[in-house]
Amino acid sequence: MSTDSEIDNRTTRITRKGQVTIPKALREEFGLEEGDELRWEKTDDGIRVRKATGSAGRGMLADEDVSEEKREEMAAEMEAEIREKRRSEWQP
């Protein structure tokens, strides 16, 4: 487990495409893997990054007789709506 002083001394650069690399020690400590989604939250102190757990409830709102293909389609539509809503909330 990393100590606060070790984390404070780590920095990363933002690429031209707006990408950042999460230090390996932090990825391991928090169980972050390729394909995981992160949530960026604006706070009074700056930016907080959290692991998103959006797929945990996938399929809960669909009837049992709905095909897997239709469930995936419904999930994709909901994700797109959520992304658009979040984008509009972040616009100044």
Side-chain angles (χ1 to χ4, degrees), residues 3 6 10 13 24 29 36 39 52 58 82:
T3 64
E6 288 175 335
R10 294 192 183 133
R13 294 190 191 278
K24 182 179 180 183
E29 182 176 342
D36 284 347
R39 177 172 308 172
R58 181 175 279 189
I82 291 168

Side-chain angles (χ1 to χ4, degrees), residues 4 16-17 19 21 26 54 67 69 80 83:
D4 288 339
R16 267 183 250 165
K17 293 183 178 184
Q19 298 170 330
T21 299
L26 293 175
S67 71
E69 183 178 299
R83 273 195 299 277

